């Protein structure tokens, strides 16, 4: 059993929907929650959404995350002539 306090406006909408369907407010809320959870379960994770793009537009260097400071120093040295 679950008791939930809802804003008056939301309760009015649920009541109106239940009357329209000739159903109960409980059934309206259950259906809404089922829809919410089914959408959430089928929703892709951020990783899944970007998986096909990862590495696609990269520099081709596999050591970018480990040598970036070293390469930055090299570039600065090139520009300053040191």
């Amino acid at each position: 059993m679950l008791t939930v306090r809802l804003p008056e406006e939301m309760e009015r909408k649920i009541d109106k929907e239940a009357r329209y369907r000739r159903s109960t407010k409980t059934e309206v809320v259950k259906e809404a929650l089922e829809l919410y959870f089914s959408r959430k379960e089928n929703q892709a994770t951020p990783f899944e959404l970007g998986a096909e793009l990862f590495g696609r537009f990269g520099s081709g260097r596999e050591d970018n995350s480990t040598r970036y400071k070293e390469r930055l120093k090299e570039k600065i040295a090139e520009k300053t002539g040191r």
Side-chain angles (χ1 to χ4, degrees), residues 49-78:
L49 291 172
E52 67 183 43
L53 301 174
F54 298 148
R56 191 169 187 196
F57 302 104
S59 65
R61 294 183 178 187
E62 294 181 9
D63 61 352
N64 267 347
S65 64
T66 57
R67 290 197 57 233
Y68 71 95
K69 286 184 181 179
E70 187 178 323
R71 279 199 303 280
L72 182 60
K73 288 177 187 177
E74 290 170 1
K75 286 187 178 197
I76 291 172
E78 286 174 10

